[in-house]
Amino acid sequence: PASVGVSNAERHEGAVLPAPFRWHEEHIAIDLPGGSALFSTRRGGCSSPPFESANVGASVGDDPAHVAANRAALAALTGHPASAFAFGAQVHGASVARVLESPGAGWERGTPAAPIEADGQASARPGVPLVVITADCLPVALMGTRAVASLHAGWRGLAGGIVQAGVGALRELGEDGPLQAAIGPGARVCCYEVGEEVHDRFAAQGGPIREGRRLDLPAFAARTLRGAGVTDVHDCRLCTICDPERFFSHRRDGPTGRQCGVVWRS
């Protein structure tokens, strides 16, 4: 591979992460009290164009064997088997599923057993990483000392209350302490121009969330997280649309791969 013999600093020159984020091989990691998260990039996999190279999306037309290999490699970086990974059938909604047991071996094959419709997942169970698939929407990891959640936060989900639903799920699962959040790579105000329908949904928001034709989803997500009682919000500050070398972007490229956000109890 091209990265052999290249230091982590050299590999990620020009993409400095704010603490406490760090580069973990080709991907972005963060460790917080009670949990850890990994936000994947498009680098370091085996898929061919237009899915090169670390596509983890099983529904975009990529070779299923490549998807399975990419997912297994990513799982290894978390210290969990790919068969333990849990994710839902994402529909750009605001539902958060409660994951009470390991989902089995389906994730590794790319054919999980009957995932329920949910754009977020929460669990108090150790050893079950929770996954959301993204390609411009924000992956948001919520962490407490007793439970964690992973949210797929596009404009529809954020406007519909997925953040509040995620916090509520953690409280329902017994998390009664302070919460922290990590916002992964996604579309940002530098690039994210939206139409009247979207602006109408965010009409009550002023600057810096609405800037002309553009919308700052991470700023809205951070504001909403704090309003829902999250104590600390960490943002990696990386834009998927700006950086074709590191990230898939559906808005930029059309047919393309997917990265993901994964969170698990530490």
Side-chain angles (χ1 to χ4, degrees):
S3 60
V4 171
V6 178
S7 71
N8 219 34
E10 290 173 317
R11 184 183 304 144
H12 300 294
E13 183 179 1
V16 177
L17 294 172
F21 291 96
R22 59 184 170 82
W23 288 106
H24 184 39
E25 300 293 341
E26 301 289 357
H27 309 296
I28 300 158
I30 186 170
D31 303 304
L32 296 173
S36 297
L38 191 71
F39 300 106
S40 74
T41 73
R42 71 184 301 165
R43 292 178 165 182
C46 62
S47 294
S48 301
F51 312 111
E52 74 272 25
S53 63
N55 169 51
V56 295
S59 61
V60 295
D62 194 5
D63 184 330
H66 291 164
V67 176
N70 292 336
R71 289 178 166 186
L74 188 67
L77 293 178
T78 73
H80 298 85
S83 59
F85 279 56
F87 65 103
Q90 296 175 191
V91 293
H92 294 277
S95 295
V96 177
R98 282 62 164 168
V99 179
L100 304 179
E101 60 184 5
S102 179
W107 196 92
E108 185 173 9
R109 299 191 303 270
T111 56
I116 65 172
E117 287 191 357
D119 282 79
Q121 299 179 92
S123 184
R125 184 184 177 96
V128 180
L130 309 173
V131 185
V132 291
I133 304 294
T134 64
D136 285 327
C137 294
L138 298 173
V140 178
L142 285 174
M143 303 182 212
T145 58
R146 297 183 179 181
V148 297
S150 189
L151 309 178
H152 169 244
W155 73 263
R156 290 181 178 86
L158 287 169
I162 194 166
V163 164
Q164 295 88 335
V167 170
L170 293 187
R171 298 306 186 197
E172 182 184 302
L173 289 168
E175 178 55 68
D176 58 1
L179 299 175
Q180 295 197 50
I183 300 174
R188 293 177 182 264
V189 69
C190 50
C191 299
Y192 190 48
E193 294 190 8
V194 297
E196 292 300 326
E197 176 193 6
V198 181
H199 274 290
D200 286 348
R201 294 293 297 273
F202 294 86
Q205 306 297 324
I209 290 171
R210 297 174 70 212
E211 296 185 7
R213 303 308 310 160
R214 296 177 295 178
L215 187 68
D216 193 336
L217 282 182
F220 181 72
R223 179 183 293 181
T224 307
L225 285 159
R226 294 187 179 99
V230 176
T231 305
D232 294 302
V233 178
H234 308 279
D235 185 358
C236 78
R237 302 177 191 167
L238 296 179
C239 178
T240 49
I241 302 175
C242 278
D243 193 345
E245 294 299 317
R246 286 188 176 87
F247 300 112
F248 298 110
S249 168
H250 177 71
R251 173 171 281 232
R252 183 191 64 230
D253 298 330
T256 191
R258 299 291 186 270
Q259 50 257 344
C260 69
V262 189
V263 60
W264 63 94
R265 288 190 63 190
S266 57

